[in-house]
Amino acid sequence: MSGHPDGTGRTPGATLPSVTERDGTTKESGDARTAPEPPCDSAARCDGTAASLGDYRAAFHAARHPMAVLNRDGLVLAANPAFGELVGAAPDDLVAATAADLTDLGADPRVWTAYREVLCGRSDRLRCTRRLKQSDGNSVWVEVTVEPVADGPAGGEERVLLSVSDISDRHDLLARLRHLQMHDPVTRLPNRALFFERLAAALETAAFEPAGTGRIGLCYLDLDGFKAVNDTLGHRVGDRLLSAVAQRLTRCAESAADRGPGRGGHLVARLGGDEFALLVEDSTGTDQVAELAQCVLDALQRPFDLAGQRLSVSASIGVVERAASGTTATGLMQAADTTLYWAKEDGKARWTLFDPERNAHRMTRQALSSTLRPAVDRGEFTLEYQPLVGLGDGRAQGVEALVRWRHPQFGVLSPNRFIALAEENGAIVELGRWVLERACYQARAWQLAHPGGQPLFVSVNVAVRQVWDSDLVADVAGILAETGLPPRLLQLELTESAVMGSAGRPLQALQALSDMGVRIAIDDFGTGYSNLAYLSRLPVSVLKLDGSFVHGFRSQEHPNPADEMIVEALVALAHRLGLTVTAECVESAEQAERLRRIGCDTGQGWLYSRPVAPDRVEALLDAGRACG
Ligand code: C2E
Ligand code: MG
Ligand code: MG
């Protein structure tokens, strides 16, 4: 380990003797005072060809730069008057003093280590910035350089030169520039850059300093409807409002910090536009940060008087509080951003607390949604089939194709997890086409494998977006032609809401499909408008009664006559209108028997079979198709 804060290497030219070699009279650098004519040292020749030891000594004394020669233990051997002036002591009194104490090299562990490395000869130079308190109470910013004296006395102890330059002016200028760079001119609050710097430092401190709580909290705030203020009243009023909001936030943060146990005040920053952040270092739990958020909402509730304009605003706040270890600035901000979005979504003018479960759900939704399309190409979907059974004879007449996603990360997912997402992002078109094709191939394969018997039809679910966003009629026609499946062996299930009010394209599509010989079924009937009169005018031939009706049948001991009467009436009406009826979710023999008595045509449910892989359907066909 070099121990160098700046990583620089040895620079022999900076040591005392070689400095004077550059200029025998003016000594050291341009700002060094001209030394008085040095007296001739008896030990050196005074012939003008080389500087004598006396020259060096005089230069050392006259130099404006504070300098001290140290031994390898860091004790002062000699100090020049400038150094004495800097530390407020006579140079002679400084002999044997500890140089590190005089120049504050011990306060920062990293500086201290680097300094020790130079003293013991393992490193060539230390250069660091220190702030020194002077005897008059003022402080100066200095740059301290420590490096070995290359040409120490022959055979004698090696020396180290410590030199100091006053950089207060430069430091002040840089500090002013940095302030400008790190603050927002409108509100005078720390800006985004400073906020992230402080956040990173806070996370580091909290993770490595056991004294604090090891936690961090953040309120991420966005004004509701600020754009309207800017648009209607102009940017000047908008800026004034932001500045007034900043003042109220600062007051909240100050009073919360006065009350709370944490270290120092809470940082309030403007992250841009109408977004602000309040950072709570060493937070004590969600309650503390939520209390701060509530205080901010209360403070913003009072209207603002801005040069004759009376304005009211509200804000939405995302609140995140967590252990600092394992938390990154990016992770914290992402959580805050999501939570702020929830606060807006939940109705604005409120604070919302980060909820890991809600977030996991969102992340999963996002992950699923974005990988749906590629998953179709990668062949991650499979179909299971569930028999549709004649209630009279208990024989399977058809099967419903139900899609599953074999997700490489989340395992097998049921359609309830992804069909709605696929409808939202349009992937349902590709997925639906794949399901249709796969199911038709399968049904045709069963038909060919059992040429003697009554073939099974396949019922395929179709989402409304497939009707709108793709040419369903052409797809179905193409797939039937390609697979050789007779149209009468295909049934398409659409939900009631998908066909309700359908005019134009969907209606034409349904009509064309029906004309082709494909059967149309209304899925989950009874959960929507249940408008049979309307449905009878559509080219629909099957009603699939929603499972809730059958659930309502209850057991023999607790019959629910109303449900049974409704189903009875529905079945009768459907039959009068030329529709056949399938009951979903038939789970018990008792339910099946009552449905049969009522006149229901087919049933589907666990009583007969769960949805199964195609080879299990094959076994069913081989066994003569009797279910249950
Ligand atoms: P659905 O069309 O009403 O399908 C019937 C659902 O009821 C299936 O759920 C099935 O597993 C379940 N089920 C069957 N028998 C019983 C029973 O006796 N009791 C109970 N409690 N449930 C039973 P699954 O497979 O999870 O499918 C859910 C829904 O996802 C389907 O409801 C359908 O709307 C949709 N879906 C499935 N596959 C596709 C597809 O390929 N495309 C489209 N667009 N939607 C699909
Ligand atoms: Mg269905
Ligand atoms: Mg259904």
Side-chain angles (χ1 to χ4, degrees), residues 142-187:
V142 295
E143 186 178 77
V144 179
T145 308
V146 186
E147 46 202 339
V149 177
D151 306 330
E157 195 195 0
E158 283 199 34
R159 309 284 163 81
V160 170
L161 178 71
L162 182 152
S163 56
V164 181
S165 33
D166 186 340
I167 56 163
S168 292
D169 288 347
R170 180 162 38 117
H171 193 274
D172 286 352
L173 182 65
L174 284 176
R176 275 206 298 279
L177 280 175
R178 194 180 136 75
H179 186 88
L180 284 176
Q181 209 178 19
M182 295 295 198
H183 286 76
D184 159 48
V186 174
T187 61

Side-chain angles (χ1 to χ4, degrees), residues 105-133:
L105 297 179
D108 180 334
R110 273 183 293 192
V111 169
W112 173 246
T113 310
Y115 173 59
R116 301 292 311 161
E117 293 283 301
V118 178
L119 286 185
C120 66
R122 277 202 293 270
S123 173
D124 295 336
R125 184 165 67 171
L126 160 69
R127 180 170 285 168
C128 60
T129 303
R130 311 304 299 150
R131 187 182 189 187
L132 300 184
K133 253 218 144 72

Side-chain angles (χ1 to χ4, degrees), residues 383-384 386 400-404 414-416 418-419 423 428 431-432 435-436 460-464 466 493 495 523-524 544 546 551 584-587 604-607 609-611:
L383 290 185
E384 286 188 337
Q386 190 177 30
E400 178 174 2
L402 295 161
V403 67
R404 275 87 183 95
S414 84
N416 295 333
F418 58 85
I419 289 291
E423 287 204 63
I428 193 70
L431 177 59
V435 169
L436 194 65
V460 176
N461 293 283
V462 174
V464 63
Q466 284 175 262
E493 298 188 13
T495 58
D523 204 356
D524 307 332
K544 292 190 74 180
D546 188 66
H551 283 308
E584 296 181 337
C585 294
V586 184
E587 295 179 0
Q604 174 184 4
W606 299 343
L607 170 66
S609 168
R610 299 253 172 180

Side-chain angles (χ1 to χ4, degrees), residues 4 175 187 199 205 258 350 380 390 456 498-499 559 565-567:
H4 273 286
T187 61
L199 175 58
T205 312
D258 287 347
R350 70 193 55 222
E380 287 175 10
L456 282 182
V499 294
M565 276 163 60
I566 292 171
V567 173

Side-chain angles (χ1 to χ4, degrees), residues 212-557:
T213 62
R215 302 187 67 81
I216 192 145
L218 176 67
C219 291
Y220 186 22
L221 176 149
D222 185 286
L223 296 181
D224 301 325
F226 177 70
K227 190 177 175 303
V229 175
N230 254 349
D231 289 351
T232 53
L233 302 171
H235 285 259
R236 277 169 71 100
V237 177
D239 282 358
R240 279 193 193 155
L241 177 63
L242 288 174
S243 166
V245 166
Q247 279 171 23
R248 292 198 191 171
L249 296 185
T250 308
R251 243 172 278 141
C252 279
E254 281 167 1
S255 65
D258 287 347
R259 286 195 308 272
R263 135 186 40 210
H266 307 321
L267 177 78
V268 182
R270 181 182 175 206
L271 301 189
D274 57 347
E275 283 172 27
F276 297 86
L278 291 91
L279 184 68
V280 182
E281 290 184 50
D282 269 332
S283 54
T284 53
T286 46
D287 284 358
Q288 184 196 14
V289 190
E291 203 178 295
L292 175 62
Q294 187 56 50
C295 163
V296 167
L297 289 185
D298 294 345
L300 295 182
Q301 228 168 31
R302 280 177 290 117
F304 292 86
D305 276 317
L306 304 173
Q309 306 263 16
R310 211 170 156 77
L311 278 180
S312 290
V313 284
S314 66
S316 302
I317 308 177
V319 177
V320 186
E321 201 278 337
R322 50 175 64 170
S325 82
T327 297
T328 60
T330 322
L332 190 74
M333 289 314 290
Q334 263 168 6
D337 194 47
T338 303
T339 317
L340 172 59
Y341 174 76
W342 293 338
K344 295 263 183 201
E345 197 183 46
D346 294 349
K348 302 184 179 171
R350 70 193 55 222
W351 58 264
T352 299
L353 195 60
F354 180 74
D355 175 356
E357 245 174 61
R358 189 171 173 181
N359 191 47
H361 183 71
R362 182 188 66 97
M363 301 274 283
T364 316
R365 268 179 69 89
Q366 253 171 24
L368 293 184
S369 179
S370 60
T371 51
L372 261 162
R373 254 177 247 265
V376 178
D377 299 333
R378 283 198 297 264
E380 287 175 10
F381 293 93
T382 55
L383 290 185
E384 286 188 337
Y385 298 88
Q386 190 177 30
L388 298 152
V389 178
L391 285 167
D393 58 6
R395 295 174 78 85
Q397 300 176 357
V399 285
E400 178 174 2
L402 295 161
V403 67
R404 275 87 183 95
W405 184 355
R406 291 188 184 282
H407 196 283
Q409 192 185 346
F410 303 117
V412 179
L413 301 179
S414 84
N416 295 333
R417 295 284 301 277
F418 58 85
I419 289 291
L421 292 176
E423 287 204 63
E424 262 171 43
N425 73 11
I428 193 70
V429 171
E430 273 123 295
L431 177 59
R433 200 178 285 135
W434 177 85
V435 169
L436 194 65
E437 194 170 6
R438 188 70 237 130
C440 289
Y441 263 112
Q442 188 58 68
R444 175 66 175 154
W446 284 325
Q447 190 194 10
L448 292 176
H450 298 269
Q454 178 71 22
L456 282 182
F457 71 84
V458 69
S459 195
V460 176
N461 293 283
V462 174
V464 63
R465 200 157 169 183
Q466 284 175 262
V467 186
W468 278 107
D469 290 5
S470 68
D471 193 344
L472 184 65
V473 180
D475 283 350
V476 169
I479 288 168
L480 288 178
E482 194 183 305
T483 58
L485 185 74
R488 66 187 163 82
L489 295 186
L490 176 63
Q491 173 171 295
L492 298 180
E493 298 188 13
L494 286 106
T495 58
E496 202 185 342
S497 53
V499 294
M500 271 310 286
S502 60
R505 190 182 169 117
L507 186 55
Q508 282 165 17
L510 292 188
Q511 194 58 58
L513 290 165
S514 172
D515 292 347
M516 222 185 270
V518 172
R519 238 168 324 148
I520 307 293
I522 298 300
D523 204 356
D524 307 332
F525 183 79
T527 53
Y529 302 92
S530 309
N531 189 339
L532 263 180
Y534 176 78
L535 286 180
S536 69
R537 289 198 288 274
L538 299 179
V540 168
S541 42
V542 181
L543 282 193
K544 292 190 74 180
L545 281 189
D546 188 66
S548 54
F549 286 108
V550 179
H551 283 308
F553 274 27
R554 304 294 155 115
S555 62
Q556 206 84 57
E557 301 90 66

